[in-house]
Amino acid sequence: GQLGWVAHLADEVRRRSDDPALISRAALAAGRLMTMGPHHTAAFALLARIADEAADARSPRLLDALAAAAVVRYYSGEESQRQRIESLLADLPDTATGGALGAWVRAVSDPAGAGASLAPALPRLIDEAGHDAGTLTALAVVAWLLDRTALAARTFDEAADRWRAHGPLPAGLGCAVGWTYLEQGRWAEARSVAAEIAEVASQSGLDHAEACARALDAAAVALLGEPADARENAERALALVDPLESRSVAVAARRALGMAAVAEGDYDTAYAHFRSAFTEDGDPVHYHVSYTVLAELAAAAARRGQCAPAAELLERSVRRLGTGMSARLALLVERGRALLADPEHAERHFRAALADETGEQWPFERAQTRLDYGEWLRRQRRIAEARPLLTGALDTFQRLGARPWIERTKAELRAAGIEATGAAPGALTELSPQQQQIVQLAARGLTNREIGERLFLSPRTVGSHLYRVFPRLGITARAQLRDVVDGTRSLLPDRRSGAGAPAAR
């Protein structure tokens, strides 16, 4: 549909015009749109041809073409594409590659290789971007790729209002926003991003963009403890793409399937999905996404009692990453090592996994490590040391609404002699008046959109409020809201006059 039309238009421009600049602009526009489709080999070939022509003509369009080609390289994970990009970058002067666009090309095509040199320069580049929404968003993606998640989230937030003034965030960048929010614990916002992208991409026939969004949502709902929905989204994502053309989506979808299996306690299935992020020889299927699976792979292997192969793969990955390992990956590696180590060596790895305060950027991963360490200490009969780790993990899981991990942590706390409880009976009355209105309307069965229309809020804002109050109410699902409201109805003011009567059902 749309992809074919744009490619045809670019061919028509080439056939009818003798203007090299016009022909180049049309071809570049076609190549950029092709990145959103499933045929990344063809997209890269077109963009590489444009880059070669720009290099021969010493045109500044070379960096634009490489920026688009780097996106294809990320989606496909194809190593030969990285090599081609690097060879063309080598012909450019440092003054051309030292800015935001050069940082984008290097980080997107090779984050491990570029991280050490780019990370210190990011704050300066972001400051220089000023109010340019496109540049801010691109640099936020770079920060996300380099695991500077807090910086990425701040920069995405700064750019968001500027994008709203000009239209929706480009689908290819939007998923990076969603992954940033997911990793930072802003799960409701991540799901809203995924829903928006999936809707637009589905209507436009942009299969790869839709697959990205569905893989993102699959990861979120798996963490929330909805494995059936996670599987449906992940399998749809896999059906939309060729896994050899879109390795980033394939690995992300398999990771979500693995987390869905973990949520159900099926560690054999989880291990199979996590292991598929690496080749039989232990190399990453995708140069960025595969490494985020390492700790989960180790945890599933430990549950299965088959630690040696996972330990070998983990250490192979460490050697491959070398000095390009980010702080986040270093913490995930230490968690994996702790889970796979002999008892006499495990504790130093647990301590290393919790030592760096930057780990608080990734609250779910941090809570997992606290839970793992607390379990280990309890099994070593060091109950007093285990309890604060377990209660800290439970606080985070409840705030996030990570239902399977909440239940697992409560079981560990009971084994440690502590009975974890939900919210206090008056928790609903402690919410803000607006939050109480949202909760009451949601309990009556209204959708986020219907609530937003009544309270003059966006559906995303409504969803964000609900997911933030769930842990405070001691619940993990929308269906539990009615019981909470019924249990405290006499304590609440009647807000029907401000919110309107409930919708017909």
Side-chain angles (χ1 to χ4, degrees):
Q2 187 174 4
L3 293 177
W5 181 82
V6 171
H8 172 72
L9 185 61
D11 289 340
E12 281 294 298
V13 172
R14 180 178 287 273
R15 189 170 64 84
R16 294 171 180 267
S17 175
D18 295 326
D19 183 349
L22 179 61
I23 292 170
S24 177
R25 285 198 300 272
L28 184 57
R32 284 171 171 161
L33 188 58
M34 285 178 69
T35 65
M36 295 295 97
H39 305 299
H40 291 127
T41 300
F44 190 86
L46 172 60
L47 292 164
R49 189 192 77 201
I50 298 167
D52 285 336
E53 292 171 354
D56 292 340
R58 298 188 180 279
S59 166
R61 204 169 300 281
L62 171 57
L63 201 54
D64 292 326
L66 290 179
V71 175
V72 180
R73 148 68 175 163
Y74 184 84
Y75 291 154
S76 72
E78 176 57 50
E79 173 63 13
S80 63
Q81 294 175 0
R82 179 192 65 79
Q83 295 170 355
R84 184 77 177 276
I85 290 169
E86 284 194 354
S87 68
L88 287 163
L89 270 178
D91 294 333
L92 287 169
D94 290 343
T95 53
T97 60
L101 199 56
W104 165 273
V105 174
R106 287 183 288 153
V108 174
S109 59
D110 184 19
S117 60
L118 282 181
L122 266 179
R124 173 183 59 80
L125 291 171
I126 290 169
D127 184 61
E128 290 173 355
H131 300 299
D132 186 328
T135 303
L136 284 172
T137 305
L139 290 170
V141 174
V142 172
W144 169 66
L145 288 166
L146 301 184
D147 285 330
R148 299 285 299 276
T149 306
L151 178 62
R154 288 196 302 271
T155 309
F156 278 132
D157 289 343
E158 185 178 347
D161 290 340
R162 311 189 200 292
W163 275 116
R164 291 190 193 102
H166 298 89
L169 184 69
L173 303 181
C175 275
V177 180
W179 283 110
T180 298
Y181 289 161
L182 188 76
E183 291 164 10
Q184 205 185 32
R186 296 162 63 176
W187 293 356
E189 291 169 89
R191 295 201 65 194
S192 293
V193 168
E196 290 173 8
I197 295 171
E199 182 178 3
V200 172
S202 178
Q203 293 172 353
S204 305
L206 303 177
D207 289 350
H208 180 84
E210 182 183 351
C212 287
R214 289 189 177 275
L216 168 61
D217 198 54
V221 295
L223 298 180
L224 289 165
E226 302 170 16
D229 289 344
R231 282 192 291 271
E232 181 180 351
N233 268 313
E235 287 163 3
R236 175 61 178 160
L238 291 169
L240 285 166
V241 297
D242 179 342
L244 297 179
E245 292 263 356
S246 300
R247 292 180 179 89
S248 61
V249 168
V251 175
R254 292 289 182 190
R255 177 188 175 194
L257 288 170
M259 294 307 293
V262 170
E264 295 179 314
D266 182 357
Y267 294 100
D268 288 336
T269 299
Y271 180 84
H273 286 304
F274 296 141
R275 183 62 181 81
S276 71
F278 298 86
T279 67
E280 187 175 338
D281 293 334
D283 293 330
V285 170
H286 188 269
Y287 62 95
H288 177 246
V289 186
S290 288
Y291 292 123
T292 66
V293 177
L294 283 170
E296 302 300 346
L297 174 65
R303 292 273 177 173
R304 299 170 74 236
Q306 297 182 351
C307 295
E312 182 179 345
L313 188 152
L314 181 70
E315 297 306 327
R316 180 186 179 94
S317 297
V318 170
R319 292 191 296 272
R320 190 181 186 97
L321 284 165
T323 57
M325 191 185 306
S326 69
R328 178 189 178 202
L329 288 180
L331 297 178
L332 292 176
V333 163
E334 290 297 343
R335 178 187 172 220
R337 283 171 167 163
L339 291 164
L340 298 170
D342 294 331
E344 61 268 27
H345 300 123
E347 185 161 22
R348 66 185 177 91
H349 294 300
F350 277 128
R351 289 183 177 276
L354 292 171
D356 190 343
E357 289 301 315
T358 63
E360 299 298 334
Q361 294 178 77
W362 309 288
F364 179 74
E365 292 169 5
R366 193 72 156 181
Q368 284 181 298
T369 304
R370 288 190 173 109
L371 171 56
D372 292 335
Y373 190 15
E375 287 178 332
W376 185 86
L377 286 168
R378 187 185 66 77
R379 284 161 176 72
Q380 303 299 310
R381 302 184 184 280
R382 294 161 60 181
I383 305 298
E385 295 172 78
R387 286 172 177 167
L389 287 163
L390 294 172
T391 54
L394 181 61
D395 286 345
T396 300
F397 292 141
Q398 287 181 325
R399 176 170 60 82
L400 296 174
R403 185 165 44 198
W405 288 267
I406 291 171
E407 296 308 316
R408 181 177 148 198
T409 311
K410 285 182 175 180
E412 280 296 320
L413 280 166
R414 285 193 294 272
I418 298 176
E419 187 63 38
T421 60
L428 185 54
T429 63
E430 296 173 2
L431 302 180
S432 71
Q434 185 180 71
Q435 288 172 332
Q436 291 180 25
Q437 286 181 288
I438 291 171
V439 167
Q440 290 187 78
L441 291 170
R444 296 174 194 166
L446 274 69
T447 66
N448 288 0
R449 185 173 298 280
E450 290 169 334
I451 296 169
E453 289 171 354
R454 291 171 182 250
L455 302 181
F456 304 102
L457 301 170
S458 71
R460 179 186 294 186
T461 299
V462 173
S464 181
H465 274 300
L466 285 172
Y467 279 108
R468 281 202 297 269
V469 302
F470 279 8
R472 295 174 63 183
L473 299 176
I475 63 173
T476 58
R478 196 183 189 102
Q480 297 170 280
L481 287 172
R482 182 182 294 276
D483 293 336
V484 172
V485 170
D486 288 346
T488 55
R489 189 173 299 280
S490 62
L491 301 176
L492 289 170
D494 186 355
R495 303 190 185 277
R496 292 193 184 192
S497 60
R505 304 185 71 177

